[in-house]
Amino acid sequence: LHIKMSVLHITKNNFQSEVLESDRPVLLDFWASWCGPCRMVAPIIEEIAAENDRFKVGKIDVDAEPELAAKFRIMSIPTLVVMQGGQIVNQAVGARAKGDILNMIP
C-alpha cells in the first residue's frame, strides 16, 4: 500500500516534532505568498512530496513564521533546506528544477 504523502505546513509549534525529531530527512521550502519564484517551485515541491515517502517535505511561510525564518537566517526566498538528524545537510537559494532539488536530499 503506497500512501500518498503531502506537504506539511511547518510552524514553530510543530517544528520540533516534524523536523528536528524526524526519523527521515526533511526538505523545507521557505516561501511567501507574494513571491513569484516561490509560486514556480510550489508545484514541484507538491510533486516531490507525493512521489516520495523516504523523506518528509515541509513548507514554511516566512511571513507567518518569522522566528523560523530568522533561525535559518533566510535572506531571500525561495530557500530550500534539507535537514537530517536535526542538522542542516544542504541548502539552496532560488527556484530549482525538480532533479536539482531531489539531488539535495541524502
Side-chain angles (χ1 to χ4, degrees):
L1 180 69
H2 186 77
I3 299 165
K4 192 169 153 66
M5 300 296 286
S6 61
V7 175
L8 300 162
H9 287 276
I10 304 296
T11 66
K12 61 181 185 295
N13 300 330
N14 67 1
F15 181 79
Q16 179 78 28
S17 59
E18 293 288 5
V19 179
L20 295 181
E21 296 168 7
S22 174
D23 55 351
R24 295 175 288 169
V26 185
L27 170 65
L28 295 173
D29 173 21
F30 287 85
W31 71 286
S33 56
W34 46 263
C35 160
C38 298
R39 288 199 292 271
M40 285 164 40
V41 173
I44 300 170
I45 298 293
E46 301 278 346
E47 203 172 282
I48 289 172
E51 291 170 355
N52 296 278
D53 52 11
R54 64 178 185 88
F55 55 86
K56 288 186 187 178
V57 179
K59 290 179 72 106
I60 298 176
D61 181 337
V62 296
D63 290 336
E65 300 297 328
E67 300 93 334
L68 288 177
K71 180 181 168 79
F72 284 87
R73 296 184 177 85
I74 301 302
M75 295 299 165
S76 59
I77 50 175
T79 293
L80 300 172
V81 175
V82 178
M83 299 207 49
Q84 190 170 28
Q87 302 294 316
I88 297 173
V89 293
N90 230 322
Q91 193 163 343
V93 177
R96 292 279 189 278
K98 185 177 177 182
D100 296 339
I101 296 172
L102 287 170
N103 287 338
M104 291 173 62
I105 302 159

